[in-house]
Coordinates of all heavy atoms in Angstrom, one line a residue:
M1 N -2.7 16.8 -8.9 CA -2.9 15.7 -9.7 C -2.2 14.5 -9.2 O -1.1 14.6 -8.8 CB -2.4 16.0 -11.1 CG -2.5 14.8 -12.1 SD -2.2 15.5 -13.6 CE -1.5 14.8 -14.8
L2 N -2.9 13.3 -9.2 CA -2.3 12.1 -8.7 C -1.9 11.2 -9.9 O -2.5 11.3 -11.0 CB -3.3 11.3 -7.9 CG -3.8 12.0 -6.6 CD1 -4.9 11.0 -5.9 CD2 -2.6 12.1 -5.7
L3 N -0.8 10.6 -9.8 CA -0.2 9.7 -10.8 C -0.3 8.3 -10.2 O 0.0 8.0 -9.1 CB 1.1 10.2 -11.2 CG 1.3 11.6 -11.6 CD1 2.8 11.9 -11.6 CD2 0.7 11.9 -12.9
V4 N -0.5 7.3 -11.1 CA -0.5 5.9 -10.7 C 0.5 5.2 -11.7 O 0.5 5.4 -12.8 CB -1.9 5.3 -10.8 CG1 -1.9 3.8 -10.4 CG2 -2.8 6.0 -9.8
R5 N 1.4 4.3 -11.0 CA 2.3 3.5 -11.8 C 2.4 2.1 -11.1 O 2.0 2.0 -10.0 CB 3.7 4.2 -11.9 CG 4.3 4.3 -10.6 CD 5.9 4.4 -10.7 NE 6.6 4.8 -9.5 CZ 6.8 4.1 -8.5 NH1 6.3 2.8 -8.4 NH2 7.4 4.6 -7.4
P6 N 2.9 1.2 -11.8 CA 3.1 -0.1 -11.2 C 4.0 0.1 -10.0 O 5.0 0.8 -10.0 CB 3.8 -1.0 -12.3 CG 3.4 -0.3 -13.5 CD 3.3 1.1 -13.3
A7 N 3.7 -0.7 -8.9 CA 4.6 -0.6 -7.8 C 5.9 -1.3 -7.8 O 6.0 -2.3 -8.6 CB 3.8 -1.1 -6.5
W8 N 6.9 -0.8 -7.2 CA 8.2 -1.4 -7.1 C 8.5 -1.9 -5.8 O 7.8 -1.5 -4.8 CB 9.3 -0.4 -7.4 CG 9.2 0.4 -8.7 CD1 8.7 -0.1 -9.9 CD2 9.6 1.7 -9.0 NE1 8.7 0.9 -10.8 CE2 9.3 2.0 -10.3 CE3 10.2 2.7 -8.2 CZ2 9.6 3.3 -10.8 CZ3 10.4 4.0 -8.7 CH2 10.1 4.2 -10.1
E9 N 9.3 -2.9 -5.6 CA 9.6 -3.5 -4.3 C 10.1 -2.4 -3.3 O 9.7 -2.5 -2.1 CB 10.6 -4.6 -4.4 CG 10.1 -5.9 -5.1 CD 11.1 -7.0 -5.2 OE1 12.0 -7.0 -4.3 OE2 11.1 -7.8 -6.1
S10 N 10.8 -1.5 -3.8 CA 11.5 -0.5 -3.0 C 10.4 0.5 -2.5 O 10.7 1.2 -1.5 CB 12.6 0.2 -3.7 OG 12.0 0.9 -4.9
D11 N 9.2 0.5 -3.0 CA 8.2 1.4 -2.6 C 7.7 1.1 -1.2 O 7.3 1.9 -0.4 CB 6.9 1.4 -3.6 CG 7.2 2.0 -4.9 OD1 8.1 3.0 -4.9 OD2 6.6 1.6 -5.8
A12 N 7.7 -0.2 -0.8 CA 7.4 -0.6 0.5 C 8.3 0.0 1.5 O 7.8 0.5 2.6 CB 7.4 -2.1 0.6
D13 N 9.6 0.0 1.2 CA 10.5 0.6 2.2 C 10.4 2.1 2.3 O 10.5 2.6 3.4 CB 12.0 0.3 1.6 CG 12.3 -1.1 1.6 OD1 11.7 -1.9 2.4 OD2 13.1 -1.5 0.8
A14 N 10.0 2.8 1.2 CA 9.8 4.2 1.2 C 8.5 4.6 1.9 O 8.4 5.6 2.6 CB 9.7 4.8 -0.2
L15 N 7.4 3.8 1.9 CA 6.2 4.1 2.4 C 6.1 3.7 4.0 O 5.5 4.5 4.7 CB 5.1 3.4 1.7 CG 3.6 3.8 2.2 CD1 3.3 5.2 1.9 CD2 2.6 2.9 1.5
A16 N 6.6 2.7 4.4 CA 6.5 2.2 5.7 C 6.7 3.2 6.8 O 5.8 3.4 7.7 CB 7.4 1.0 5.9
P17 N 7.7 4.0 6.8 CA 8.0 5.0 7.9 C 7.0 6.2 7.8 O 7.0 7.0 8.7 CB 9.4 5.4 7.7 CG 9.8 5.1 6.3 CD 8.9 3.9 5.9
R18 N 6.3 6.3 6.7 CA 5.5 7.5 6.5 C 3.9 7.2 6.5 O 3.2 8.0 6.2 CB 5.8 8.1 5.1 CG 7.2 8.6 5.0 CD 7.7 9.2 3.7 NE 6.7 10.0 3.1 CZ 6.1 9.9 1.9 NH1 6.5 8.9 1.1 NH2 5.2 10.8 1.5
L19 N 3.6 6.0 6.9 CA 2.2 5.5 7.0 C 1.4 6.4 7.8 O 1.8 7.0 8.9 CB 2.1 4.2 7.5 CG 2.3 3.0 6.6 CD1 2.3 1.7 7.4 CD2 1.4 3.0 5.3
R20 N 0.1 6.6 7.5 CA -0.9 7.2 8.3 C -0.9 6.5 9.6 O -0.8 5.3 9.6 CB -2.3 7.2 7.6 CG -2.4 8.0 6.4 CD -3.9 8.0 5.8 NE -4.6 6.8 6.1 CZ -5.8 6.7 6.8 NH1 -6.4 7.8 7.2 NH2 -6.5 5.6 7.0
M21 N -1.1 7.1 10.7 CA -1.2 6.4 12.0 C -2.3 5.4 12.0 O -2.2 4.4 12.5 CB -1.5 7.4 13.1 CG -1.5 6.9 14.5 SD 0.0 5.8 15.0 CE 1.2 7.1 15.0
E22 N -3.4 5.7 11.3 CA -4.6 4.8 11.3 C -4.2 3.5 10.5 O -4.5 2.4 10.9 CB -5.8 5.4 10.6 CG -6.4 6.6 11.3 CD -5.7 8.0 11.0 OE1 -4.7 7.9 10.3 OE2 -6.2 8.9 11.4
D23 N -3.4 3.6 9.5 CA -2.9 2.4 8.8 C -2.0 1.6 9.6 O -2.0 0.4 9.6 CB -2.3 2.8 7.4 CG -3.4 3.3 6.4 OD1 -4.6 3.1 6.6 OD2 -3.1 3.9 5.4
F24 N -1.0 2.3 10.2 CA -0.1 1.7 11.1 C -0.8 0.9 12.2 O -0.5 -0.3 12.4 CB 0.9 2.7 11.7 CG 1.9 2.2 12.7 CD1 3.1 1.7 12.2 CD2 1.6 2.1 14.0 CE1 4.1 1.2 13.0 CE2 2.5 1.6 14.9 CZ 3.8 1.1 14.4
Q25 N -1.7 1.5 12.8 CA -2.5 0.8 13.9 C -3.3 -0.3 13.4 O -3.4 -1.3 14.0 CB -3.4 1.8 14.6 CG -2.6 2.9 15.4 CD -3.5 4.0 15.9 OE1 -4.5 4.3 15.4 NE2 -3.0 4.6 17.0
E26 N -3.9 -0.2 12.2 CA -4.7 -1.3 11.6 C -3.8 -2.5 11.4 O -4.1 -3.7 11.7 CB -5.4 -0.9 10.3 CG -6.2 -2.0 9.7 CD -6.9 -1.5 8.4 OE1 -6.8 -0.3 8.1 OE2 -7.4 -2.3 7.7
I27 N -2.6 -2.3 10.8 CA -1.7 -3.4 10.6 C -1.3 -4.0 11.9 O -1.4 -5.3 12.0 CB -0.4 -2.9 9.8 CG1 -0.7 -2.5 8.5 CG2 0.7 -4.0 9.9 CD1 0.4 -1.7 7.7
R28 N -1.0 -3.3 12.9 CA -0.6 -3.8 14.2 C -1.7 -4.6 14.9 O -1.5 -5.7 15.4 CB -0.2 -2.7 15.1 CG 1.2 -2.1 14.9 CD 2.3 -3.1 15.0 NE 3.6 -2.5 14.9 CZ 4.7 -3.1 15.3 NH1 4.7 -4.3 15.8 NH2 5.8 -2.5 15.1
A29 N -2.9 -4.1 14.8 CA -4.1 -4.8 15.3 C -4.5 -6.0 14.6 O -4.9 -7.0 15.2 CB -5.3 -3.8 15.3
A30 N -4.2 -6.1 13.3 CA -4.6 -7.2 12.5 C -3.7 -8.5 12.8 O -4.3 -9.6 13.0 CB -4.5 -6.9 11.0
D31 N -2.5 -8.3 12.9 CA -1.6 -9.4 13.2 C -0.4 -9.2 14.0 O 0.4 -10.0 14.2 CB -1.3 -10.2 12.0 CG -0.4 -9.4 11.0 OD1 0.0 -8.3 11.3 OD2 -0.3 -9.8 9.9
G32 N -0.2 -7.9 14.5 CA 0.9 -7.5 15.2 C 2.2 -7.4 14.6 O 3.3 -7.3 15.2
R33 N 2.3 -7.6 13.3 CA 3.6 -7.6 12.6 C 4.0 -6.2 12.3 O 3.3 -5.3 12.3 CB 3.5 -8.5 11.4 CG 3.3 -10.0 11.7 CD 3.5 -10.9 10.5 NE 2.5 -10.5 9.4 CZ 2.7 -10.7 8.1 NH1 3.9 -11.2 7.7 NH2 1.8 -10.4 7.2
D34 N 5.3 -6.1 11.9 CA 5.9 -4.8 11.5 C 5.3 -4.4 10.2 O 5.2 -5.2 9.2 CB 7.4 -5.0 11.3 CG 8.1 -3.8 11.1 OD1 7.9 -3.2 9.9 OD2 8.9 -3.3 11.9
P35 N 4.9 -3.1 10.1 CA 4.2 -2.6 8.8 C 5.2 -2.8 7.7 O 4.7 -3.0 6.5 CB 4.0 -1.2 9.1 CG 3.8 -1.1 10.6 CD 4.7 -2.1 11.1
L36 N 6.5 -2.7 7.8 CA 7.4 -2.9 6.6 C 7.2 -4.3 6.1 O 7.2 -4.4 4.9 CB 8.8 -2.5 7.0 CG 9.9 -2.8 6.0 CD1 9.6 -2.0 4.7 CD2 11.3 -2.4 6.5
V37 N 7.2 -5.2 6.9 CA 7.1 -6.6 6.5 C 5.8 -6.8 5.7 O 5.8 -7.5 4.7 CB 7.2 -7.6 7.7 CG1 6.9 -9.1 7.3 CG2 8.5 -7.5 8.3
V38 N 4.7 -6.4 6.3 CA 3.3 -6.5 5.7 C 3.3 -5.8 4.3 O 2.8 -6.3 3.3 CB 2.3 -5.9 6.6 CG1 0.9 -5.8 5.9 CG2 2.2 -6.7 7.9
L39 N 3.9 -4.6 4.2 CA 4.0 -3.8 2.9 C 4.8 -4.6 1.9 O 4.4 -4.7 0.7 CB 4.5 -2.5 3.1 CG 3.5 -1.4 3.6 CD1 4.3 -0.1 4.0 CD2 2.6 -1.1 2.4
R40 N 5.9 -5.1 2.3 CA 6.7 -5.9 1.3 C 6.1 -7.1 0.9 O 6.0 -7.4 -0.4 CB 8.1 -6.3 2.1 CG 9.0 -5.2 2.2 CD 10.3 -5.7 2.9 NE 11.3 -4.7 3.1 CZ 12.3 -4.8 3.8 NH1 12.6 -5.9 4.5 NH2 13.3 -3.8 3.9
E41 N 5.3 -7.8 1.7 CA 4.6 -9.1 1.4 C 3.4 -8.6 0.5 O 3.1 -9.3 -0.5 CB 4.1 -9.8 2.6 CG 5.1 -10.5 3.3 CD 4.6 -11.1 4.6 OE1 3.4 -11.0 4.9 OE2 5.4 -11.8 5.3
G42 N 2.7 -7.5 0.8 CA 1.6 -7.1 0.0 C 2.1 -6.7 -1.5 O 1.3 -7.1 -2.4
V43 N 3.2 -6.0 -1.6 CA 3.7 -5.6 -2.9 C 4.0 -6.9 -3.7 O 3.7 -7.0 -4.9 CB 4.8 -4.6 -2.8 CG1 5.6 -4.5 -4.2 CG2 4.4 -3.3 -2.3
A44 N 4.8 -7.8 -3.0 CA 5.2 -9.0 -3.7 C 4.1 -9.9 -4.1 O 4.1 -10.6 -5.2 CB 6.1 -9.8 -2.8
A45 N 3.0 -10.0 -3.3 CA 1.9 -11.0 -3.6 C 0.7 -10.4 -4.4 O -0.1 -11.2 -5.0 CB 1.4 -11.5 -2.3
S46 N 0.7 -9.1 -4.6 CA -0.5 -8.5 -5.2 C -0.3 -8.6 -6.7 O 0.7 -8.4 -7.3 CB -0.7 -7.0 -4.9 OG -1.0 -6.9 -3.5
R47 N -1.5 -8.8 -7.3 CA -1.6 -8.9 -8.8 C -2.9 -8.2 -9.1 O -4.0 -8.9 -9.0 CB -1.6 -10.4 -9.3 CG -0.3 -11.1 -9.0 CD 0.8 -10.6 -9.8 NE 2.1 -11.3 -9.5 CZ 3.0 -10.8 -8.6 NH1 2.8 -9.7 -8.0 NH2 4.0 -11.5 -8.3
P48 N -3.0 -7.0 -9.5 CA -1.8 -6.1 -9.7 C -1.5 -5.3 -8.4 O -2.1 -5.5 -7.4 CB -2.4 -5.1 -10.7 CG -3.9 -5.0 -10.3 CD -4.2 -6.4 -9.9
C49 N -0.4 -4.5 -8.4 CA 0.0 -3.6 -7.3 C 0.4 -2.3 -7.9 O 1.1 -2.3 -8.9 CB 1.1 -4.3 -6.6 SG 1.4 -3.4 -5.0
F50 N 0.0 -1.2 -7.4 CA 0.2 0.1 -7.9 C 0.7 1.1 -6.8 O 0.4 0.9 -5.6 CB -1.0 0.7 -8.5 CG -1.5 0.0 -9.7 CD1 -2.6 -0.9 -9.6 CD2 -0.8 0.1 -10.9 CE1 -3.0 -1.6 -10.7 CE2 -1.3 -0.6 -12.1 CZ -2.3 -1.5 -11.9
A51 N 1.4 2.1 -7.2 CA 1.9 3.2 -6.4 C 1.1 4.4 -6.8 O 0.9 4.7 -8.0 CB 3.4 3.4 -6.5
V52 N 0.7 5.2 -5.8 CA 0.1 6.5 -6.1 C 1.1 7.6 -5.7 O 1.7 7.6 -4.6 CB -1.2 6.7 -5.2 CG1 -1.8 8.1 -5.5 CG2 -2.1 5.6 -5.5
L53 N 1.3 8.5 -6.7 CA 2.3 9.6 -6.5 C 1.6 10.9 -6.7 O 0.7 11.1 -7.4 CB 3.5 9.5 -7.5 CG 4.0 8.1 -7.7 CD1 4.8 8.1 -9.0 CD2 5.0 7.8 -6.5
N54 N 2.2 12.0 -6.0 CA 1.7 13.3 -6.3 C 2.4 13.9 -7.6 O 3.3 13.1 -8.1 CB 1.8 14.3 -5.1 CG 3.3 14.5 -4.8 OD1 4.2 14.4 -5.5 ND2 3.5 15.1 -3.6
S55 N 2.1 15.1 -7.9 CA 2.6 15.6 -9.2 C 4.1 15.8 -9.2 O 4.8 15.9 -10.2 CB 1.9 16.8 -9.7 OG 2.0 17.8 -8.6
A56 N 4.7 15.9 -7.9 CA 6.1 16.1 -7.8 C 6.9 14.7 -7.7 O 8.0 14.7 -7.7 CB 6.4 16.8 -6.5
G57 N 6.0 13.6 -7.8 CA 6.6 12.3 -7.8 C 6.8 11.6 -6.4 O 7.4 10.6 -6.3
A58 N 6.3 12.3 -5.4 CA 6.4 11.7 -4.0 C 5.4 10.6 -3.8 O 4.2 10.7 -4.2 CB 6.1 12.8 -2.9
L59 N 5.8 9.5 -3.3 CA 5.0 8.4 -3.0 C 3.9 8.7 -1.9 O 4.2 9.1 -0.8 CB 5.8 7.1 -2.6 CG 5.1 5.9 -2.3 CD1 4.4 5.3 -3.5 CD2 6.0 4.8 -1.7
L60 N 2.7 8.5 -2.3 CA 1.5 8.8 -1.3 C 0.9 7.5 -0.8 O 0.3 7.5 0.3 CB 0.6 9.7 -1.9 CG 1.0 11.1 -2.4 CD1 -0.1 11.8 -3.1 CD2 1.6 11.8 -1.3
A61 N 0.9 6.5 -1.6 CA 0.1 5.2 -1.3 C 0.5 4.1 -2.1 O 1.0 4.2 -3.2 CB -1.4 5.5 -1.3
L62 N 0.2 2.9 -1.6 CA 0.3 1.7 -2.4 C -1.0 1.0 -2.3 O -1.7 1.0 -1.2 CB 1.4 0.7 -1.8 CG 2.8 1.2 -1.9 CD1 3.8 0.3 -1.2 CD2 3.3 1.3 -3.4
F63 N -1.4 0.3 -3.4 CA -2.6 -0.5 -3.3 C -2.5 -1.7 -4.2 O -1.8 -1.6 -5.2 CB -3.9 0.3 -3.6 CG -4.0 0.9 -5.0 CD1 -4.8 0.1 -5.9 CD2 -3.4 2.0 -5.4 CE1 -4.9 0.5 -7.2 CE2 -3.6 2.5 -6.7 CZ -4.3 1.8 -7.6
G64 N -3.3 -2.7 -3.9 CA -3.2 -3.9 -4.8 C -4.3 -4.9 -4.4 O -5.2 -4.6 -3.6
A65 N -4.2 -6.0 -5.0 CA -5.1 -7.2 -4.8 C -4.3 -8.4 -4.7 O -3.7 -8.8 -5.6 CB -6.2 -7.2 -5.9
I66 N -4.5 -9.0 -3.5 CA -3.8 -10.3 -3.3 C -4.8 -11.5 -3.7 O -5.9 -11.5 -3.1 CB -3.4 -10.5 -1.8 CG1 -2.4 -9.3 -1.4 CG2 -2.8 -11.8 -1.5 CD1 -2.1 -9.2 0.0
P67 N -4.4 -12.3 -4.7 CA -5.2 -13.4 -5.1 C -5.6 -14.3 -4.0 O -4.7 -14.6 -3.1 CB -4.4 -14.1 -6.2 CG -3.4 -13.1 -6.6 CD -3.1 -12.3 -5.4
D68 N -6.8 -14.9 -3.9 CA -7.2 -15.9 -3.0 C -6.6 -17.2 -3.6 O -6.9 -17.6 -4.7 CB -8.7 -16.0 -3.0 CG -9.2 -16.9 -1.8 OD1 -8.6 -18.0 -1.7 OD2 -10.2 -16.6 -1.2
P69 N -5.8 -18.0 -2.7 CA -5.2 -19.1 -3.3 C -6.2 -20.3 -3.5 O -5.9 -21.2 -4.3 CB -4.2 -19.6 -2.2 CG -4.6 -18.8 -1.0 CD -5.4 -17.6 -1.4
V70 N -7.3 -20.2 -2.9 CA -8.4 -21.2 -3.0 C -9.4 -21.0 -4.2 O -9.7 -21.8 -4.9 CB -9.2 -21.4 -1.7 CG1 -10.2 -22.5 -1.9 CG2 -8.2 -21.9 -0.6
D71 N -9.8 -19.7 -4.3 CA -10.7 -19.3 -5.2 C -10.1 -18.2 -6.2 O -10.0 -17.1 -5.8 CB -12.0 -18.7 -4.5 CG -13.1 -18.3 -5.5 OD1 -12.9 -18.3 -6.7 OD2 -14.2 -18.1 -5.0
T72 N -9.9 -18.7 -7.4 CA -9.2 -17.7 -8.4 C -10.1 -16.6 -8.8 O -9.5 -15.6 -9.5 CB -8.7 -18.5 -9.6 OG1 -9.9 -19.1 -10.2 CG2 -7.7 -19.6 -9.3
H73 N -11.3 -16.5 -8.4 CA -12.2 -15.5 -8.8 C -12.3 -14.4 -7.6 O -13.1 -13.5 -7.8 CB -13.6 -15.9 -9.1 CG -13.6 -16.9 -10.3 ND1 -13.4 -16.4 -11.5 CD2 -13.8 -18.2 -10.3 CE1 -13.4 -17.5 -12.4 NE2 -13.7 -18.6 -11.6
R74 N -11.6 -14.5 -6.6 CA -11.6 -13.7 -5.5 C -10.2 -13.2 -5.2 O -9.2 -13.8 -5.4 CB -12.1 -14.4 -4.3 CG -13.6 -14.7 -4.4 CD -14.1 -15.3 -3.1 NE -15.5 -15.6 -3.3 CZ -16.4 -15.5 -2.4 NH1 -16.1 -15.1 -1.2 NH2 -17.6 -15.7 -2.6
G75 N -10.2 -12.1 -4.4 CA -9.0 -11.5 -3.9 C -9.2 -10.6 -2.8 O -10.3 -10.2 -2.5
K76 N -8.1 -10.2 -2.1 CA -8.2 -9.3 -1.0 C -7.6 -7.9 -1.5 O -6.4 -7.8 -1.8 CB -7.4 -9.8 0.1 CG -8.0 -11.0 0.7 CD -7.2 -11.5 1.9 CE -7.7 -12.8 2.4 NZ -6.9 -13.4 3.4
V77 N -8.4 -6.8 -1.6 CA -8.0 -5.6 -2.0 C -7.5 -4.7 -0.8 O -8.1 -4.8 0.3 CB -9.2 -4.8 -2.7 CG1 -8.8 -3.4 -3.1 CG2 -9.7 -5.6 -3.9
W78 N -6.4 -4.0 -1.0 CA -5.8 -3.3 0.2 C -5.3 -1.9 -0.4 O -4.9 -1.8 -1.5 CB -4.7 -4.1 0.8 CG -3.6 -4.4 -0.1 CD1 -3.5 -5.5 -0.8 CD2 -2.4 -3.7 -0.2 NE1 -2.3 -5.5 -1.5 CE2 -1.5 -4.4 -1.2 CE3 -1.9 -2.5 0.3 CZ2 -0.3 -3.9 -1.6 CZ3 -0.7 -2.1 -0.1 CH2 0.1 -2.8 -1.0
L79 N -5.2 -1.0 0.5 CA -4.6 0.4 0.2 C -4.0 0.9 1.6 O -4.7 0.9 2.5 CB -5.6 1.3 -0.3 CG -5.1 2.8 -0.7 CD1 -5.8 3.3 -1.9 CD2 -5.1 3.7 0.5
L80 N -2.8 1.2 1.5 CA -2.2 1.9 2.6 C -1.5 3.2 2.2 O -0.9 3.2 1.1 CB -1.1 0.9 3.2 CG -1.7 -0.4 3.8 CD1 -0.6 -1.3 4.1 CD2 -2.6 -0.1 5.1
G81 N -1.6 4.3 3.0 CA -1.1 5.5 2.5 C -0.5 6.4 3.6 O -0.5 6.1 4.8
T82 N -0.1 7.6 3.1 CA 0.5 8.7 4.0 C -0.6 9.6 4.3 O -1.6 9.8 3.6 CB 1.6 9.3 3.3 OG1 1.1 10.1 2.1 CG2 2.7 8.4 2.8
P83 N -0.3 10.5 5.3 CA -1.4 11.5 5.6 C -1.5 12.5 4.5 O -2.5 13.0 4.3 CB -0.7 12.3 6.8 CG 0.3 11.2 7.5 CD 0.7 10.4 6.3
E84 N -0.5 12.7 3.7 CA -0.5 13.6 2.5 C -1.6 13.1 1.5 O -2.1 13.9 0.7 CB 0.9 13.7 1.8 CG 1.9 14.4 2.7 CD 2.5 13.5 3.8 OE1 2.5 12.2 3.6 OE2 3.0 14.0 4.7
L85 N -1.8 11.8 1.4 CA -2.8 11.2 0.5 C -4.1 11.9 0.6 O -4.8 12.3 -0.4 CB -3.0 9.8 0.5 CG -4.0 9.1 -0.3 CD1 -3.6 9.2 -1.8 CD2 -4.1 7.7 0.0
L86 N -4.6 12.2 1.8 CA -5.9 12.7 2.1 C -6.0 14.2 1.8 O -7.1 14.8 1.8 CB -6.3 12.4 3.5 CG -6.4 10.9 3.8 CD1 -6.7 10.8 5.3 CD2 -7.4 10.1 3.0
K87 N -4.8 14.9 1.6 CA -4.8 16.3 1.3 C -4.8 16.6 -0.1 O -4.8 17.8 -0.5 CB -3.6 16.9 2.0 CG -3.5 16.8 3.5 CD -2.2 17.3 4.1 CE -2.2 17.0 5.5 NZ -0.9 17.2 6.2
Q88 N -4.8 15.5 -1.0 CA -4.7 15.8 -2.4 C -6.1 16.1 -3.0 O -7.1 15.5 -2.6 CB -4.2 14.6 -3.1 CG -2.7 14.1 -2.7 CD -1.8 15.2 -2.9 OE1 -1.6 15.8 -4.1 NE2 -1.1 15.6 -1.9
P89 N -6.1 17.1 -3.9 CA -7.4 17.4 -4.6 C -7.8 16.2 -5.5 O -6.9 15.7 -6.1 CB -7.2 18.7 -5.3 CG -5.7 18.7 -5.5 CD -5.0 18.0 -4.3
L90 N -9.0 16.0 -5.7 CA -9.4 14.9 -6.6 C -9.6 15.4 -8.0 O -10.0 16.5 -8.2 CB -10.7 14.3 -6.1 CG -10.5 13.6 -4.8 CD1 -11.8 12.9 -4.3 CD2 -9.5 12.4 -4.9

């Protein structure tokens, strides 16, 4: 069973070293920045932003929507997770 709660700033620090390799590579390819910096910015800027946990309370993913500063009707949706996220039953 997956649980969802509002994300905390500290979740970025917890998730960054455990990212799926594909997510890590995507961040690096997109702008070359450190994934921890990108996660911290994503959590801070997203409205809303959520954490996905397994039934034991382990952090599996973060996701959110970063508002478009020009068009208030648009946003950029993102999700970054751990390899364990894909192993969870739906």
